[in-house]
Amino acid sequence: DLYYKHWLHSEQIVTLEAEGGIRARIKGITTDWGLLKAEELGWEDRATGKVVELQSDSNSFDFFKGLIKRKE
């Protein structure tokens, strides 16, 4: 639990290219399969309640640019 609580990218805001370019806040990693959890953001970066789980083998994570996109 401590590892997930202090994970480096938690709370970072990114753009999810594969989800239509939505903005999302990284919420951590799932404890079952290690997927990246991101919560969709709406107006004024308020959470919409929609959570997206992303697999690392099909997505490319560029946290310096704040972008997550499908691998080519």
Side-chain angles (χ1 to χ4, degrees), residues 45-63:
D45 287 340
R46 294 183 184 176
T48 66
K50 178 182 176 185
V51 175
V52 179
E53 295 180 351
L54 304 161
Q55 294 181 323
S56 62
D57 60 346
S58 61
N59 291 285
S60 174
F61 308 124
D62 187 339
F63 288 106

Side-chain angles (χ1 to χ4, degrees), residues 9 11-18 21-26 36 38 41 54 60-69:
H9 299 293
E11 302 302 317
Q12 183 172 351
I13 295 177
V14 296
T15 300
L16 303 180
E17 187 178 84
I22 65 170
R23 286 172 53 85
R25 178 174 283 116
I26 302 300
L36 185 70
L41 299 175
L54 304 161
S60 174
F61 308 124
D62 187 339
F63 288 106
F64 295 110
K65 291 183 179 177
L67 179 66
I68 298 176
K69 63 180 182 175

